[in-house]
């Protein structure tokens, strides 16, 4: 509980101790890690990529997928993990940048992933022909 309170307080602080932010982001308790992963300005793209590639718990990838303004590189890494919940969170994240090629891949397999379908169809910038697939 104490770690969760600390994470909530530090999540958006640009002058928080970086080593503490990294430790909180790697915490296995999502009530601790998620606020920092989603909002800390101290986490770099490389830090987030490391969390995706070696998540302390599977939910870590979902927390990264929900981060505002996710880059195409990070979106690709989330999709590469093949975690249904993380991909659904990514598709629901309207501010995430997703390459057209990555969207095409997701569209091709969406028939077997019902939880992606509605968010995929509602995704801004989805090519009109994609909704027909």
């Amino acid at each position: 509980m104490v770690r969760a309170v600390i994470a909530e307080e530090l999540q958006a602080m640009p002058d928080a101790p970086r080593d503490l932010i990294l430790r909180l982001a790697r915490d296995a308790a999502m009530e601790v890690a998620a606020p920092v992963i989603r909002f800390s300005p101290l986490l770099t793209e490389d830090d987030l990529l490391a969390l995706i590639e070696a998540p302390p718990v599977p939910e870590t990838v979902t927390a990264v997928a929900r981060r505002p303004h996710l880059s195409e590189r990070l979106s690709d890494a989330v999709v590469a993990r093949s975690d249904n919940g993380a991909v659904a969170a990514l598709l629901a994240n309207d501010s995430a940048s997703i390459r057209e090629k990555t969207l095409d891949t997701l569209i091709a397999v969406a028939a077997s992933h019902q939880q992606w379908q509605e968010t995929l169809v509602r995704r801004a910038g989805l090519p009109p022909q994609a909704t027909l697939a």
Side-chain angles (χ1 to χ4, degrees):
M1 187 169 149
V2 172
R3 292 186 335 271
V5 170
I6 291 170
E8 279 293 325
E9 291 299 316
L10 297 180
Q11 69 182 347
M13 292 180 125
D15 57 348
R18 180 168 158 69
D19 60 329
L20 178 58
I21 293 297
L22 289 170
R23 196 164 57 230
L24 292 170
R26 291 185 188 113
D27 200 293
M30 289 315 296
E31 61 270 11
V32 175
V36 173
I37 291 170
R38 290 191 61 205
F39 300 113
S40 178
L42 297 176
L43 293 176
T44 65
E45 187 164 297
D46 287 338
D47 295 332
L48 296 166
L49 192 58
L51 287 169
I52 294 168
E53 291 174 352
V57 293
E59 294 83 7
T60 300
V61 180
T62 302
V64 174
R66 290 185 173 126
R67 186 174 170 99
H69 309 292
L70 210 60
S71 71
E72 289 178 342
R73 178 180 174 212
L74 291 171
S75 293
D76 286 347
V78 168
V79 171
R81 293 291 303 180
S82 299
D83 178 295
N84 290 335
V87 172
L90 176 67
L91 291 171
N93 180 350
D94 291 332
S95 68
S97 296
I98 304 175
R99 292 180 213 279
E100 188 171 331
K101 181 179 178 182
T102 303
L103 281 172
D104 289 344
T105 300
L106 294 174
I107 290 165
V109 297
S112 60
H113 298 282
Q114 189 172 2
Q115 73 183 104
W116 301 355
Q117 293 171 6
E118 187 174 338
T119 53
L120 188 56
V121 171
R122 291 184 178 180
R123 180 111 189 131
L126 192 66
Q129 67 273 17
T131 58
L132 301 175

